[in-house]
Amino acid sequence: VWVMQRLWRSADQPNCHACGSVSGFFHVMTTCPTCNGKGHVLKEADKCGSCRGSGVQQTNRTVTLAVPAGVYDGLRMRAAIDGTHHRLVVQIEVAPHDQFVRDGSDVHVHVKLPLLQAIFGGKVDVPSVKTGGTRSVQVSPGTQSRSKRILPGEGIKTLNSDQVGDMIVHYDVTIPNGSSLSEKAALLLRRALGDPDVPPEESPDSCSSGSGDSSKQQESQNEQSDANTKAEAQGQGKPKQKKKRRSWFGSSSD
C-alpha cells in the first residue's frame, strides 16, 4: 500500500516574487507559472531528498482487512491506516472457482452421473459450499441429463443479511463407451433401451410350453405305434377263418 505523507514547508522559505511583482491597471487571476499556485519557491538546495520538494512521501505498509461473508466482485471497502489520518480504499475482485459458478447468492455446480444411477436412482456425492467438502444427494430413478436439483440454503450468505442463497446441482449423465462392453452386455442394453433392430428375447414360458406340446405329440405318436404293433401281433396269432359261400343249390365253404 502506498501511503502519502505531506511534508510541510518551514516558515523561512522565500515567497514567490513572480506572484507579487506584476502591477498595472488590470489584474488577471491565473495560476502562477513559477510557483504553480503554491505561493513560494523552493531552491534546489532546499529540496527534501525524499519528496524532492513535492511535499509528499511514499512509503510501503501492510494493512490487514477483515472481509465479511457475501462480498461480491467490484465491491469497495475502506480501511483505516494506523498512525495516519488516511483511509485505504480496496476494491474486491472475486476469483473464479474450478467447480462452483456464482450467481448472486446462488451457486451452480455440475456433477457427472453414471448411467446406472440415472436409470435406477441412487446416491451421488456432490461438492458443497456449506460444508467445505462433499455431501450425499439422493438421485431419483429416470433422471435425465441436464436436469437440476435445488438444495435450499446451501449457497452464499447475502452481505449484511441473514439470508442464504441456494445451491443448484446440474446432472450430466455419462454414457459408457460401447466398445468397452461385451457382446452380450451390449445386446442386453440395446434390447432394454428398445432398439428396433434387436429381436425381443423369448420368454421362458413360451419355450416350456413349446417343448411340452412337442413331447405330448411324441408320446401320442409312440402310443399309436404301439397300438398298431399290438394289432398286427394279435392278427398273426389267430387262425384264419374260412368264409362261407352261398349258392343257389346249397351252402358250401372254401
Side-chain angles (χ1 to χ4, degrees):
V1 178
W2 293 99
V3 180
M4 314 298 287
Q5 294 181 349
R6 182 168 297 278
L7 305 178
W8 302 98
R9 70 184 182 91
S10 59
D12 57 351
Q13 291 179 353
N15 293 330
C16 177
H17 298 286
C19 298
S21 61
V22 179
S23 63
F25 294 100
F26 299 97
H27 297 274
V28 179
M29 300 298 294
T30 183
T31 303
C32 175
T34 304
C35 66
N36 293 325
K38 297 179 180 179
H40 61 273
V41 179
L42 285 177
K43 296 179 180 180
E44 191 65 28
D46 297 335
K47 289 184 178 180
C48 173
S50 300
C51 67
R52 300 302 302 167
S54 63
V56 177
Q57 185 181 11
Q58 294 182 350
T59 58
N60 294 328
R61 278 189 189 177
T62 301
V63 178
T64 302
L65 181 65
V67 180
V71 295
Y72 49 86
D73 195 28
L75 176 67
R76 289 187 177 185
M77 300 181 61
R78 297 179 181 270
I81 302 176
D82 296 337
T84 66
H85 60 279
H86 299 287
R87 285 187 174 272
L88 179 66
V89 179
V90 179
Q91 183 171 343
I92 302 296
E93 293 183 2
V94 181
H97 197 270
D98 56 348
Q99 290 181 318
F100 301 107
V101 178
R102 183 177 179 179
D103 182 15
S105 297
D106 298 333
V107 176
H108 298 260
V109 61
H110 287 258
V111 176
K112 292 184 178 180
L113 187 64
L115 182 61
L116 186 63
Q117 292 182 346
I119 296 175
F120 300 103
K123 292 184 178 181
V124 63
D125 292 334
V126 300
S128 175
V129 177
K130 184 177 181 179
T131 61
T134 59
R135 60 153 297 179
S136 180
V137 176
Q138 183 68 34
V139 180
S140 302
T143 299
Q144 303 296 320
S145 186
R146 297 183 181 179
S147 60
K148 60 184 179 181
R149 179 176 178 181
I150 300 177
L151 303 178
E154 298 196 17
I156 298 177
K157 183 178 180 296
T158 305
L159 183 63
N160 299 327
S161 175
D162 295 333
Q163 296 181 355
V164 181
D166 303 331
M167 186 170 72
I168 297 93
V169 181
H170 300 262
Y171 294 119
D172 298 329
V173 179
T174 57
I175 306 300
N177 189 1
S179 59
S180 62
L181 299 176
S182 63
E183 183 177 356
K184 183 178 180 180
L187 180 62
L188 292 176
L189 182 60
R190 293 176 60 185
R191 183 174 293 158
L193 296 178
D195 190 351
D197 297 334
V198 178
E201 185 180 7
E202 295 182 358
S203 62
D205 296 338
S206 61
C207 296
S208 61
S209 61
S211 60
D213 294 342
S214 60
S215 60
K216 289 181 180 179
Q217 185 177 3
Q218 184 67 29
E219 291 177 0
S220 177
Q221 292 178 358
N222 294 336
E223 291 177 357
Q224 184 68 26
S225 178
D226 294 342
N228 295 335
T229 303
K230 291 180 179 179
E232 291 178 358
Q234 292 176 359
Q236 292 178 359
K238 293 181 178 181
K240 294 183 180 180
Q241 297 179 355
K242 294 183 179 181
K243 297 181 180 181
K244 294 182 178 182
R245 184 172 53 184
R246 294 179 180 273
S247 64
W248 295 102
F249 302 100
S251 60
S252 64
S253 61
D254 295 337

